[in-house]
Every structure is written in structure tokens, then in C-alpha cells.
Amino acid sequence: MKLNIVPARTGLLWVKLGMQTFFKQPLALAGLFFMFMAVMTIASLVPYLGFALAMMLLPAATLGLMSATQEATQGRFPMPIVLLAAFRSNKQKTRAMLVLGALYALGFLTAMGASALVDGGDFARVYLGGATPTREMLQASEFQAAMWVFIGLHLPLSLMFWHAPALVHWHDLPPIKSLFFSIVACLRNFWAFAIFGLMWLAVLVLVVIGVTTVGALLGNPGLAGDLLFPVLLLMASMFFTSLYFTFRDSFEPPPEAAP
């Protein structure tokens, strides 16, 4: 396995490819993303362990969406079964993916727990949807400090797991090695990932402005609110579609996968 160092402009290409591929199979990729969201939501409803279970499934579900993108790039219509790609190989890969999921859940809960030590859990309750934030709460120094503690811990966690599911699945790496190579790849291609993130942020802002403007021009501000949520879900689907290209260009494919 060889790490590719890509130029900074590749980040823009990843965003472009994500959008182009999505529009090649919009119904399939959007439908799979909604199924992914539904699975995560249902898992989170399990008493006591629901949220941890949902976090454990996240790496495998992300790989499923990446596999769907790979099929779309090859001109195939990705079927729902592709979401189970992480568990359809062999027992060794399935076990490795479960270990990866457990490590992610542990890391996420640790970051959330650390933030709760700062403000008594207010930020955690808001983040997890268990409380509605008030203006006073958002302006509280403890709440803001807890938010930054969570971001500071979750950012390196995200980088470690960015490529890890794909490295386990397509390169047969054990979980710990996949985490190491994932964060190394993200750091070595820092500027490409920085542009990737900034471009998606810019797209998000433009979409929100566009939807709000349409509602205002039609004299129906409430329409913007009704449209914004489904439009943002579609944008999230495009974002997940683009993740495959960040992996594909960061690592040389294994010999059996090369064209």
C-alpha cells in the first residue's frame, strides 16, 4: 500500500466528482443515504445502549456508502445490499470492522464525556438532541468551552476514521494500522482536505442563501424552512458520495483492484 500525495486543487476535484457521481445515480445514492440515516436512527432508539450502538455502526455504514459510490462510478446501479458491504467479505474483515466500530464509539463517547466535565453535560444534551438550546445557554462560557473541548477531541478522531473503514475493507489492514495510516494520509494531504472542507462549507452557505432567497421572492418565508431540511439531506448525501474519491486518490489501489 502506497500513500499518494495530491496537490491542493484535488480537494476541489473531490467535491466536483462527488456531485457529478451523485447526479449519475441520484435516486439510488439519495435512497441509500436515507436508509443509512434510518438505520442509525433506529439503532439509537435501543434502550440504554442505543447511541453507542449507532456509533459502532457508523464506520461500516460509511463504507457501505463508499461502496455504493464505487459502483456508481462503474456505471452500475447500487442496490441496498451494498450498505452491508462491510459484513459480506470474510469473518476476519467483519471482525475488524466491528472492532473499528467499537473503537469509534469509545472515542466519541470519551470526547462527549470530556465536554460534560466542563459544563455539566449541557452541550452533550444539546448535541444529542436531548435538550433545546436557549440563548443564555449558548452564550455561557462553560457551554462554549465544552463545545471546543469536544471539537478538539473529535477532530483527530474523525481524521483517524476518515479512511480507516476503506483501508480495512479494500486493503486488508488491521484496525489499529488503518487508524494510523488514515490520519497520516489526511495530514500529508492537509491542503487538499482543507480545500475540500472549505468548498463544501461554501456550497452549504450558497444553498442556504439560495433556498432562503427563493422563499423571500415567492413571498413565503415559511417555504424556505420547509425546503431547507430535505435540501440539506441531499447535500449531505452528495458529501458522503465525495468521500470515496478522497480515499481513492489518497492510496494506490491493491493489485487485485487495479484496472
Side-chain angles (χ1 to χ4, degrees), residues 25-230:
Q25 299 282 2
L27 293 179
L29 293 173
L32 289 172
F33 176 75
F34 293 147
M35 291 179 63
F36 155 78
M37 293 294 294
V39 168
M40 298 295 291
T41 301
I42 293 171
S44 66
L45 296 178
V46 176
Y48 304 109
L49 300 177
F51 187 77
L53 177 60
M55 292 299 98
M56 283 186 64
L57 293 176
L58 185 59
T62 302
L63 175 70
L65 294 176
M66 294 176 72
S67 298
T69 303
Q70 183 188 49
E71 293 204 0
T73 61
Q74 297 170 354
R76 295 196 296 268
F77 186 91
M79 301 299 290
I81 193 68
V82 76
L83 289 178
L84 300 177
F87 306 118
R88 297 181 64 214
S89 296
N90 54 54
K91 291 183 178 180
Q92 181 180 357
K93 287 185 179 180
T94 298
R95 189 162 47 247
M97 196 64 68
L98 291 173
V99 170
L100 206 60
L103 290 174
Y104 181 77
L106 178 62
F108 186 92
L109 293 174
T110 299
M112 193 61 71
S115 74
L117 295 176
V118 177
D119 70 343
D122 287 341
F123 171 79
R125 284 188 288 271
V126 170
Y127 187 94
L128 300 177
T132 302
T134 63
R135 184 175 182 178
E136 293 76 15
M137 181 187 296
L138 294 176
Q139 292 178 341
S141 59
E142 294 85 358
F143 184 93
Q144 295 178 7
M147 177 185 70
W148 286 111
V149 166
F150 175 77
I151 292 174
L153 293 174
H154 190 257
L155 180 59
L157 181 70
S158 298
L159 296 181
M160 285 192 292
F161 282 87
W162 192 277
H163 299 300
L167 288 171
V168 166
H169 183 72
W170 281 307
H171 285 272
D172 298 321
L173 261 64
I176 300 302
K177 282 189 176 181
S178 73
L179 298 177
F180 172 77
F181 284 113
S182 176
I183 196 169
V184 167
C186 291
L187 294 177
R188 293 293 300 275
N189 288 315
F190 172 81
W191 289 113
F193 278 95
I195 291 180
F196 174 76
L198 290 173
M199 284 304 303
W200 272 119
L201 180 61
V203 169
L204 178 63
V205 171
L206 289 175
V207 167
V208 172
I209 292 174
V211 172
T212 305
T213 302
V214 169
L217 291 175
L218 294 176
N220 187 0
L223 178 64
D226 296 335
L227 290 176
L228 194 56
F229 182 68

